[in-house]
Amino acid sequence: MALKAVHVSDVPNLDHLPDNAVLSLSSGKSYRGVEGVRTSSKSPKFVVIGHRGSGMNMLYSPDRRMKAIKENSIMSFNAAGKFAVDFVEFDVQVTKDDCPVVFHDNFILAEEDGCLSEKRVTELTLEEFFHYGPQREPGKVGKPLMRKTKDGRVLTWKVEDDDSLCTLQEAFLKVDPSLGFNLELKFDDNIVYEDDELTHVLQAILKVVFKYAQDRSIIFSSFQPDAVRLVRKLQSVYPVFFLTNGGCEIYTDPRRNSLDEALKLCLAYGLQGIVSEVKGIFRNPGAISRIKEANLGLLTYGQLNNVAEAVYMQHLMGIDGVIVDLVKEISEAVSELIKPADEGEESLQDSKIELTKPKFSNNELSFLLKLIPELIQVCG
């Protein structure tokens, strides 16, 4: 039966969620491993991935949790690893002198001599990149970092626990090897890249991965369709997932504009899965079966993944895992709601999943009942 299309404007966003919007449940041991994001005849583990480590920084948010630890930092990765997460997701770019670094934004903004400077990350040398933010050498002061919001505001990048910028190599060396890495291959949406340029960047990243990954679980992902095509061609060791807004935004490249286009791209290039904005999945739930029939993994990202009820819905819908900002709260909720039958079992292929009935308060039930019709929409 078709559901009437409705707007999602009334659904609370992360900036306005109360602290208790995420269920406070006891945590459980989490199995790590990329097998958890692959489809199987047996129930795979539901994977929880920390977004940019222990959560992205939203400097304008009234929620202090969004400004607790500097995103995409060694400190943030290790903080996330203290909880039952399987991977941390982070953004990788390559400097002018071919060093892969961890940074999300295309441009670094800083205050220099009272003026705002804006420089593209990929046009900086590694030495220049390290001049920004907290410095490692005692007594040395870096250029104060700023950040531009989508609406054009420029804010001081201030968090409770700051950390220096880091390279991909340092992430491998300084983060617990049992914690998987979801490497988002970051490219500018406003640039048309030639294959040679993409290949050069990807080879610089792969050189570090193959030298330092050892037994760590790795997933590659990117919004850039040709980047995922090429990284799949350049290596066959690690799975490659295509990132998509799932139709929530429209781009000039049609391959980015729907889940069905993402599915076609995965099948054409032998990719292993899709990472979709969660609202794209709720608006087009029928795509889940088509993705699963193609034997692809399916992960989601987005602010709604910071609501335990929305995450639990996704588990019931057959999604393989979620990328979240509120790592502690969501990992604890998932550990309580979706319990492995044998918590000592190390093989994901042999593990069985026992579903426990969630215990929601009346307020939480009311929110969940509102959430379902607001999110599940018919496309077109």
Side-chain angles (χ1 to χ4, degrees):
M1 180 178 69
L3 297 176
K4 182 179 180 180
V6 294
H7 295 291
V8 297
S9 57
D10 293 332
V11 178
N13 61 40
L14 186 61
D15 293 343
H16 300 97
L17 288 178
D19 286 350
N20 61 0
V22 178
L23 301 181
S24 297
L25 302 174
S26 59
S27 62
K29 178 178 173 60
S30 170
Y31 302 122
R32 304 194 193 280
V34 73
E35 291 84 2
V37 299
R38 294 175 181 165
T39 54
S40 169
S41 58
K42 299 180 181 180
S43 297
K45 182 192 177 293
F46 189 78
V47 175
V48 178
I49 300 174
H51 186 208
R52 305 184 198 173
S54 60
M56 68 181 291
N57 294 153
M58 295 180 67
L59 303 176
Y60 54 85
S61 173
D63 190 336
R64 60 172 295 274
R65 294 173 294 182
M66 306 308 296
K67 296 171 284 189
I69 304 176
K70 174 65 74 64
E71 68 175 40
N72 278 340
S73 68
I74 301 298
M75 182 187 295
S76 187
F77 303 152
N78 284 325
K82 296 177 181 178
F83 301 101
V85 298
D86 305 273
F87 292 80
V88 285
E89 179 271 352
F90 56 87
D91 308 276
V92 181
Q93 303 186 58
V94 174
T95 62
K96 184 179 180 180
D97 49 351
D98 293 337
C99 182
V101 295
V102 180
F103 197 79
H104 174 269
D105 301 355
N106 294 315
F107 294 88
I108 280 188
L109 276 68
E111 188 176 350
E112 300 182 47
D113 301 323
C115 298
L116 186 67
S117 70
E118 183 177 68
K119 297 181 180 179
R120 188 177 290 277
V121 173
T122 55
E123 294 178 353
L124 297 172
T125 64
L126 180 61
E127 181 181 4
E128 291 169 336
F129 176 76
F130 277 145
H131 285 168
Y132 296 89
Q135 299 295 289
R136 306 173 191 207
E137 298 84 353
K140 188 174 181 180
V141 179
K143 299 175 183 179
L145 280 173
M146 314 291 284
R147 193 169 215 179
K148 186 179 292 185
T149 64
K150 288 185 176 181
D151 61 8
R153 287 178 292 165
V154 176
L155 304 174
T156 300
W157 201 333
K158 185 177 181 180
V159 295
E160 293 180 13
D161 293 314
D162 214 338
D163 198 10
S164 58
L165 302 179
C166 69
T167 66
L168 177 59
Q169 176 181 330
E170 288 175 313
F172 279 115
L173 295 176
K174 297 180 180 181
V175 177
D176 185 339
S178 67
L179 185 62
F181 283 175
N182 173 188
L183 276 60
E184 181 183 336
L185 309 170
K186 186 75 176 180
F187 296 94
D188 192 331
D189 290 342
N190 298 309
I191 294 178
V192 177
Y193 295 92
E194 299 295 333
D195 277 9
D196 288 348
E197 185 178 3
L198 290 172
T199 298
H200 181 83
V201 171
L202 295 174
Q203 286 177 331
I205 295 171
L206 289 172
K207 182 179 179 180
V208 174
V209 171
F210 282 112
K211 185 173 182 179
Y212 295 102
Q214 298 184 353
D215 294 329
R216 191 188 299 271
S217 295
I218 303 289
I219 302 172
F220 289 113
S221 63
S222 183
F223 285 104
Q224 222 292 342
D226 293 309
V228 291
R229 167 176 62 84
L230 289 169
V231 79
R232 181 69 180 91
K233 180 179 179 181
L234 291 169
Q235 62 83 45
S236 59
V237 177
Y238 302 111
V240 181
F241 280 49
F242 180 51
L243 273 159
T244 177
N245 289 108
C248 296
E249 297 180 43
I250 300 300
Y251 297 88
T252 55
D253 189 331
R255 296 174 295 179
R256 298 189 59 181
N257 289 337
S258 71
L259 286 167
D260 285 329
E261 286 292 332
L263 175 58
K264 288 186 346 188
L265 184 140
C266 289
L267 294 177
Y269 301 131
L271 308 185
Q272 284 81 15
I274 294 170
V275 187
S276 174
E277 158 66 58
V278 60
K279 288 188 290 186
I281 293 293
F282 281 131
R283 291 170 177 173
N284 186 12
I288 298 175
S289 60
R290 296 192 292 276
I291 292 169
K292 291 300 178 179
E293 286 168 3
N295 198 33
L296 296 173
L298 178 58
L299 305 173
T300 66
Y301 72 92
Q303 292 185 27
L304 283 169
N305 281 352
N306 295 303
V307 180
E309 293 89 340
V311 170
Y312 188 68
M313 287 167 58
Q314 293 178 68
H315 167 71
L316 297 179
M317 294 167 74
I319 289 166
D320 297 305
V322 290
I323 299 173
V324 307
D325 293 297
L326 303 184
V327 168
K328 176 181 184 294
E329 293 86 343
I330 296 300
S331 62
E332 290 178 351
V334 167
S335 295
E336 179 65 19
L337 295 174
I338 310 165
K339 292 182 176 179
D342 180 2
E343 298 207 352
E345 184 71 54
E346 292 298 330
S347 172
L348 292 177
Q349 295 297 326
D350 297 332
S351 64
K352 296 181 179 180
I353 302 297
E354 174 188 348
L355 300 184
T356 60
K357 184 177 180 181
K359 298 178 181 179
F360 296 135
S361 69
N362 289 335
N363 286 339
E364 289 162 345
L365 283 172
S366 176
F367 176 72
L368 179 58
L369 290 173
K370 178 182 179 182
L371 191 67
I372 295 173
E374 289 285 350
L375 293 179
I376 301 180
Q377 302 183 39
V378 178
C379 288

